[in-house]
Amino acid sequence: MGGTFDADLLIVGGGPAGATVAAEVASRGARVIVLEKRTADAPSRAGVIQPRVLELLDARGLMGRFREAARNWRPDFEIPVYFYAGMTGLRYFEMDTAHPYALILPQTTTEHLLRDWAVESGANIRRGAAYESHEQDSHGVTVRGLDAQGEPFILRGRYLVGADGAHSLVRKTAGVPFEGRGAELTAVSVDAVLSWPYSTPVHLARNENGWVLAYPFGEQTTRFIIVAEATRHVPVDVAPTMEDVRASLRAILGEDFGVTEHRWLSRYSDAHRLTPYFVDGRVSLVGEATRVHYPASGMGMNYCIQDAFNLGWKLAFVIAGDAPQRLIKTYDTERHPIIRDFMDDVAAQCALHFDFSPGGLALKRFFEEEILPTPAVNAILRDRVSGFGTTYHHPADPHPADGGRVREFDLGATTYNEVAARSDFVLVERAGAAPADRVLSGRIARVLATVNEFPGNIADATAVLIRPDAYIARAWVGSPSDAEIAQVYRSVTAQDAGIEAVAQ
Ligand SMILES: Cc1cc2nc3c(=O)[nH]c(=O)nc-3n(C[C@H](O)[C@H](O)[C@H](O)COP(=O)(O)OP(=O)(O)OC[C@H]3O[C@@H](n4cnc5c(N)ncnc54)[C@H](O)[C@@H]3O)c2cc1C
């Protein structure tokens, strides 16, 4: 079935992952329709944006609006020392980045800002439109659903993205397995109104009765995240009450802070499942449509947005005819191992975090006081939580920075972020070492840097080809030939035969 298309790309779900894919694809000229069944905001689950996502947003020129929204939310919106497995001590302020902090922002605001960006980029977001099913053929995908008035609709797109969250219907319709285990413990999150002012910015406590994290979350509201030993085996579908909350707070903190009413009260679990693949022909799954896990250390949404940055430019290139369809499959081959490691990390954090036995508490004390402060350990764990550890490096890559992240850096007359915000691939060359002219093909912007200092991982490089998602395609020490640059570009955009064999 060929015919006309209503859109190049249909996206189900306008949450953080769906909105980011929409912006990344629409800003490159494709016609994008997002189906979002909600007409009102969901309560904010995520409360922080991690440094790597801040860098990616900055590379799109969006940091000004995110920082302003965070400042309006609360004046101390930067967290310079972050958490791991419920313990504090990750020294974000030591990281080599323009954003050495986690940014506190309710997920609702993050979603608004990402959807605004998608709409400004040209995406059409249809609120109240619920996806029901799809079929794909060799030319495109047909989607059926119900609009805001409950009327059936049919849309035809060349590609479909399921960004419809942990209960993804796109995943179920596509028959993609969801492998793993069900819940072993549950926790309670409450945005509570207190009967007296509570001024401590962030409060952490743990003992044999459980663990609590408390921090101000909006006007007169404090968010408590509670794992209580006495109630951690209550099934996730049993609604918690404020009396449960007060009892847990008294057991763990010794007082209930005068908690009266709540703005949001929810029980969630550590169910742990992942799809074995993310791409099925013309249908890709992104964000929590591919997984469910305990929301450890405020990482979940951030990894979803990083998925979206990896997938977005690839879909756009394929839709524009600038790369073969197999480029989309490299989203799968690159992100699946990263997400598998991330899920292992979440499981490890839970094992450490939720053992409230005397031995478990002693281990945590030892870990927090002796292990976590060790510089090398602190750096490894920071890399995991912040997202800086993500790399698409291949053992055969010649430079150690190949596949790694690039951070904002000065180029002399301009900056990397300024160029990245209006470009796809960016070739940065040191002005003194660069040939006067180059013959470049493909979507590459070339910039000559007139400064000596490059970031640490590429400090020795003479030329760097940077992917649209701000990862290094190749760094060269010595000036590469036009043919070498073209070869790397072809490889990263899946246009050479070697990649074809891997990606099919
Ligand atoms: C208690 C809790 C605390 C958390 N805290 C953090 C944190 O601090 N930091 C962090 O990074 N992450 C956190 N997370 C995780 C974070 O909330 C998720 O990772 C994130 O929301 C996933 O984004 P997504 O876009 O993949 O899916 P979702 O946010 O679930 O978005 C999916 C969208 O698809 C829409 N949709 C679903 N079905 C359909 C359909 N049939 N038709 C049309 N639209 C549909 C939904 O309405 C929704 O808008 C937390 C999660 C929980 C439960």
Side-chain angles (χ1 to χ4, degrees), residues 308-323:
F309 272 100
N310 185 295
L311 176 62
W313 70 270
K314 294 175 178 176
L315 279 166
F317 272 51
V318 172
I319 288 166
D322 290 329

Side-chain angles (χ1 to χ4, degrees), residues 182-187 234-236 267-272 292-295:
E184 288 177 354
L185 70 82
T186 57
V234 174
V236 73
R267 197 185 303 275
Y268 59 94
S269 87
D270 69 340
H272 198 84
V292 61
H293 55 82
Y294 182 83

Side-chain angles (χ1 to χ4, degrees), residues 13 16-17 36-38 45-47 107 131 163 288 298-302:
E36 170 50 63
K37 69 178 179 187
R38 281 189 282 121
R45 288 167 292 165
Q107 183 168 337
Y131 158 97
E288 286 202 347
M299 299 158 77
M301 177 187 77
N302 287 270

